[in-house]
Amino acid sequence: YFFGKQKTNKNKLFLIENKLAGPLDRGKKHLPAWDGKRALTIGYFGLLTYTNTWDMLTKLVDSEPNKFQIYVRGFYLGDRQGFRERLRNPHFIYEGPYIHPEDLSGMHSRIDLIWAGYISEDKFKSCNLRWAMRNQFYEACYFNTPLIVQKGTQAEKYVEKFEIGLVVDMSDVNGTISKILGITPENISKWTGNLKRLPESFSVYTDEHERLAKQLGLL
């Protein structure tokens, strides 16, 4: 998207993605495979800044009590009192900030899906969302955690191509909630299986450092 929009010569640029620096211990899954009988646990990790994401997740868990649980880790930037108010909802579990990458395995072992989509009313950020890929995307792929991503983003292309999660349109709140409510154990199993088939290089750096050094040497 970026190269096409900016009409930039790809040979003069080297795109470094937000991949993991190296292989990590995936550990054991804390949760058993989701069978539809327990709450579906969705992870929300990173900088917890987007109000529309919080609103969406709150409406989701309130739509059908005990159907969902949101496991939250990271830093909140904003109204601390409002943040504490949100966490009074019994369907949210907040266990504070985390150390990257050491804590990732344990975090992903506790969730069935990860929320990796967001929208912004800010014009610059909205453009950025079309091509930027969040590090949570690559982490989820490495730990075989199915994703929920926003329509119209770069992540959508990968999720649909490899069938590794659900694409939603957060501007349509009811539609998003309906799609998530429709997730089945068969969906989770299929998405997880497809993630396991992705090559490790999809989410972990391989020779990027060497390619970058070569590129810099040509400047």
Side-chain angles (χ1 to χ4, degrees):
Y1 173 86
F2 177 80
F3 292 122
K5 200 71 173 178
Q6 300 299 322
K7 302 186 185 307
T8 304
N9 185 343
K10 292 184 180 182
N11 295 325
K12 294 183 178 180
L13 293 175
F14 177 49
L15 178 63
I16 301 178
E17 301 177 68
N18 286 320
K19 297 181 180 181
L20 291 165
L24 301 171
D25 179 14
R26 289 187 172 91
K28 294 183 179 180
K29 199 74 172 175
H30 178 78
L31 292 175
W34 186 62
D35 58 4
K37 297 179 180 179
R38 62 170 174 81
L40 183 66
T41 303
I42 300 173
Y44 179 33
F45 305 153
L47 290 177
L48 314 171
T49 56
Y50 287 88
T51 301
N52 47 37
T53 296
W54 278 108
D55 291 343
M56 177 68 71
L57 291 174
T58 300
K59 291 176 181 177
L60 174 65
V61 298
D62 289 343
S63 65
E64 285 198 26
N66 304 316
K67 173 76 172 179
F68 300 100
Q69 179 174 277
I70 310 299
Y71 179 56
V72 185
R73 295 292 299 273
F75 289 97
Y76 182 78
L77 303 177
D79 176 19
R80 299 296 299 179
Q81 181 59 37
F83 180 55
R84 287 190 287 268
E85 289 289 335
R86 291 181 183 277
L87 294 177
R88 288 180 181 177
N89 189 312
H91 299 102
F92 284 90
I93 297 176
Y94 178 60
E95 293 192 348
Y98 59 93
I99 300 174
H100 187 285
E102 290 85 346
D103 293 340
L104 293 177
S105 177
M107 290 159 55
H108 280 268
S109 76
R110 297 190 55 176
I111 62 176
D112 302 299
L113 288 157
I114 188 165
W115 188 275
Y118 58 106
I119 57 176
S120 175
E121 295 179 358
D122 181 276
K123 185 176 180 180
F124 173 76
K125 290 182 179 179
S126 294
C127 292
N128 184 58
L129 292 178
R130 291 179 180 272
W131 64 276
M133 297 282 283
R134 302 185 71 187
N135 57 317
Q136 283 84 8
F137 174 87
Y138 297 99
E139 292 161 8
C141 290
Y142 182 79
F143 289 103
N144 303 320
T145 305
L147 304 105
I148 299 175
V149 301
Q150 170 62 23
K151 178 182 178 181
T153 62
Q154 190 72 12
E156 175 194 12
K157 298 179 181 179
Y158 289 108
V159 167
E160 291 196 331
K161 178 179 180 180
F162 298 109
E163 297 185 76
I164 53 177
L166 183 71
V167 176
V168 300
D169 181 0
M170 291 177 61
S171 64
D172 177 5
V173 176
N174 292 332
T176 294
I177 291 175
S178 179
K179 290 188 74 171
I180 298 175
L181 284 170
I183 293 174
T184 66
E186 290 74 23
N187 292 144
I188 298 293
S189 177
K190 176 183 177 180
W191 296 335
T192 302
N194 289 339
L195 282 161
K196 290 179 179 179
R197 283 187 281 273
L198 290 176
E200 193 168 89
S201 59
F202 187 81
S203 54
V204 177
Y205 288 130
T206 53
D207 65 343
E208 282 87 346
H209 62 294
E210 296 176 351
R211 292 162 58 195
L212 176 61
K214 181 178 179 180
Q215 189 86 350
L216 292 174
L218 296 175
L219 295 177

